[in-house]
Amino acid sequence: MARPNCFEHLHPPTIPAREARFTYTFGLGGMSLFLFLSLIVTGVPLMFVYVPTAVSAADSIRAITYVAPFGWLLRNLHYWAAVLLLLTAGFHLLRVVFSGSYKRPRRFNWLLGLATLLLSLLLSFSGYVLRWDVDTFGALTVGTNIVRLFPLLGDWLYGLLVGGPDIADATVVRFYTWHTLGLIVPALLLLGWHLFRVRRDGGVSHQSPVSGLQSPNSPKPPRISRRELVQREGIAMLALLCLLFALSLFWDAPLAPSVDPLAGPLAEPSDIAAPWFFLWVQALLRRLSPLWAGILIPLGVTAVLALLPWLFDTEAEGTAVWFHPAGRRVQVVVIVLAIGIIALTLLELWG
Ligand code: HEM
């Protein structure tokens, strides 16, 4: 029999057939990983043309889009991979919740996954700022002023992000370095740890005689080889690559007019153009004080999500069973949070 290749080595030799079905994981974790790696592959060539200064950043984005050979395609691929990553990672979180896969022994891996998602959000925001057009400049002004309100650490965090008292050249360099190094490296390390823990915790969650519907005496459930799993993953990644190219060929990444240095301050609420994944925060900002809308509520949502596997339904019962009653309270909390975030986003879009 042929020796396993490097992709096959990422998996245990055999996998339970039921949990290897597409309709169990929907391949969402693997797709997120593929998109994350695509962001690096498409991001490195962009670094050769991008100029991280306040005066030249926007022009260099235009040079990438209109002058560099295939620059428009690379930029579009980078943009759409970032959009799809946040969507697939968000749906992956929902899959983990609704199939009870956050329970023991996977509680720590839940935290690693959540931390990776948070870093992905920060990576997306820092990339958005690098466009350095009127939209992103408005969001940067509002975002950094909110950071200032952070209890005790506000001024220090502001300095860390902005690189001085006002937004200037140093700010672009800061965001560029966070985006291309300071956030990517920890995100990659966390991602590696997350994947290692999937194997360490016994592979993708599956029903055991104690947690599932089988009795200890029932026949062993069927298993498939890792070669078969890698072939299925290969097909899913090819399909995802086709989607990525289709989106990039037909829909361009957004680009607003450049910032006019003589136009004065941009931080009026009507000027704020948060990226799509923070529109729910923008909707809150219109209704509540910046401290609540920009810091306390987002931190509260993160804390609730982080603690969910410890707060309720802590026993392993119901692992790998869709919508098991033993996980009801966690399912309800996550549904309420998801509906709140989606409703606020739609309100901001069409309200
Ligand atoms: C941001 C990028 C992420 C990547 C690339 C990623 C990748 C993966 C992969 C490849 C798996 C293996 C099986 C599968 O596809 O489900 C997995 C499992 C898992 N992930 Fe993630 N993940 C990410 C985010 C998250 C988030 C946001 C959470 C939850 C807060 C999370 C929690 C988990 C847990 C608990 C498992 C084990 C599930 C099981 O055994 O059924 N992950 N992840």
Side-chain angles (χ1 to χ4, degrees), residues 24-25 27-30 32-33 85 89 92-93 95-96 99 101-102 106 109-110 113-114 116-117 120 191 194-195 198 203-205:
Y24 182 59
T25 62
L28 289 162
S32 309
L33 178 64
L85 168 66
H92 172 58
L93 183 153
R95 189 289 284 177
V96 167
S99 63
S101 306
Y102 56 87
R106 297 179 176 78
N109 211 14
W110 164 267
L114 189 62
T116 316
L117 177 59
S120 306
L191 208 53
H194 185 57
L195 300 179
V198 173
V204 170
S205 54

Side-chain angles (χ1 to χ4, degrees), residues 53 56 59 62 107 120 128 165 184 191 222 226 254 257 264 290 302 333:
T53 62
S56 307
D59 286 344
R62 282 180 169 69
R107 295 194 297 184
S120 306
Y128 177 77
I184 274 283
L191 208 53
R226 56 183 164 194
T302 310
V333 173

Side-chain angles (χ1 to χ4, degrees), residues 93-301:
L93 183 153
L94 294 179
R95 189 289 284 177
V96 167
V97 168
F98 297 137
S99 63
S101 306
Y102 56 87
K103 299 182 176 213
R104 283 174 215 269
R106 297 179 176 78
R107 295 194 297 184
F108 181 63
N109 211 14
W110 164 267
L111 282 186
L112 292 176
L114 189 62
T116 316
L117 177 59
L118 292 179
L119 284 184
S120 306
L121 279 168
L122 294 179
L123 272 163
S124 287
F125 185 75
S126 53
Y128 177 77
V129 166
L130 291 182
R131 252 166 53 195
W132 213 255
D133 58 25
V134 276
D135 283 351
T136 70
F137 197 78
L140 172 68
T141 313
V142 174
T144 47
N145 281 331
I146 289 174
V147 163
R148 238 185 191 149
L149 301 173
F150 210 93
L152 303 174
L153 301 174
D155 284 339
W156 178 76
L157 282 174
Y158 181 87
L160 200 69
L161 287 178
V162 174
D166 298 310
I167 292 172
D169 267 350
T171 318
V172 197
V173 176
R174 293 277 160 124
F175 272 79
Y176 182 67
T177 313
W178 280 115
H179 188 70
T180 55
L181 208 67
L183 290 167
I184 274 283
V185 173
L188 275 174
L189 292 176
L190 276 174
L191 208 53
W193 199 1
H194 185 57
L195 300 179
F196 166 74
R197 279 301 300 221
V198 173
R199 277 206 70 173
R200 185 77 182 280
D201 295 337
V204 170
S205 54
H206 47 276
Q207 291 176 8
S208 70
V210 210
S211 71
L213 305 169
Q214 315 142 25
S215 83
N217 301 326
S218 52
K220 285 207 164 151
R223 300 177 74 86
I224 63 160
S225 73
R226 56 183 164 194
R227 174 141 303 177
E228 199 176 333
L229 181 63
V230 167
Q231 281 166 359
R232 290 184 196 176
E233 286 173 345
I235 294 171
M237 297 316 135
L238 265 180
L240 187 57
L241 199 61
C242 290
L243 174 67
L244 202 54
F245 267 92
L247 289 169
S248 306
L249 288 171
F250 293 109
W251 285 279
D252 286 335
L255 193 58
S258 307
V259 180
D260 177 357
L262 304 176
L266 276 165
E268 292 303 311
S270 57
D271 291 325
I272 310 168
W276 65 273
F277 46 89
F278 282 153
L279 282 177
W280 64 282
V281 178
Q282 183 168 297
L284 288 174
L285 275 170
R286 292 192 197 280
R287 291 161 181 87
L288 301 172
S289 74
L291 181 65
W292 275 97
I295 296 186
L296 297 179
I297 294 180
L299 275 187
V301 171

